[in-house]
Amino acid sequence: GHRILPVGEAPRITTQKLNTLLDDPGVVIVDLRHDLFWEESTEKIPGAVRGTPKDVSWAKGYPKDTFLVLYCACSSEQTSAVQAEKLMDKKYTNVFALKGGWWEWVKGDYPVEAK
């Protein structure tokens, strides 16, 4: 069914912007592609850590002000947006969903690395 987004929908970050942040040690990129996509893929965005697509347990170790960029392979970045909202509810202040997600990144010919 349709999910009604709560107030405070997750902010988006563009692939262009993320590309300029790849070398920033303060930025944590989290790969939330569902298991099938993750397993079939040999690549990821450089420096990305693997998160759990189903819940936000992966975020426990990060301070609430960590600059987090979440990406998935869903149309309209659904998984990452839902997770970003959950993290915002938990008082994380710097969470972004990558606009267009993994496919937009690949299409833009941005760097990738072997995972």
Side-chain angles (χ1 to χ4, degrees), residues 62-98:
Y62 294 104
K64 303 276 183 173
D65 61 349
T66 307
F67 195 114
L68 293 167
V69 178
L70 317 181
Y71 73 92
C72 56
C74 324
S75 59
S76 69
E77 58 277 345
Q78 208 172 349
T79 302
S80 43
V82 169
Q83 280 217 14
E85 284 155 22
K86 284 184 185 157
L87 290 170
M88 287 158 67
D89 288 343
K90 291 180 187 289
K91 305 287 183 275
Y92 282 80
T93 54
N94 247 339
V95 189
F96 299 87
L98 180 63

Side-chain angles (χ1 to χ4, degrees), residues 19 22 44-46 102 105 109-113:
N19 190 44
L22 286 182
K44 62 186 178 76
I45 294 178
W102 171 249
W105 184 264
D109 217 18
Y110 294 111
V112 293
E113 66 180 13

Side-chain angles (χ1 to χ4, degrees), residues 17-38:
K17 176 74 173 152
L18 180 58
N19 190 44
T20 68
L21 298 173
L22 286 182
D23 296 325
D24 186 329
V27 176
V28 177
I29 304 169
V30 185
D31 188 310
L32 296 174
R33 286 178 288 174
H34 281 284
D35 294 344
L36 192 63
F37 280 118
W38 170 255

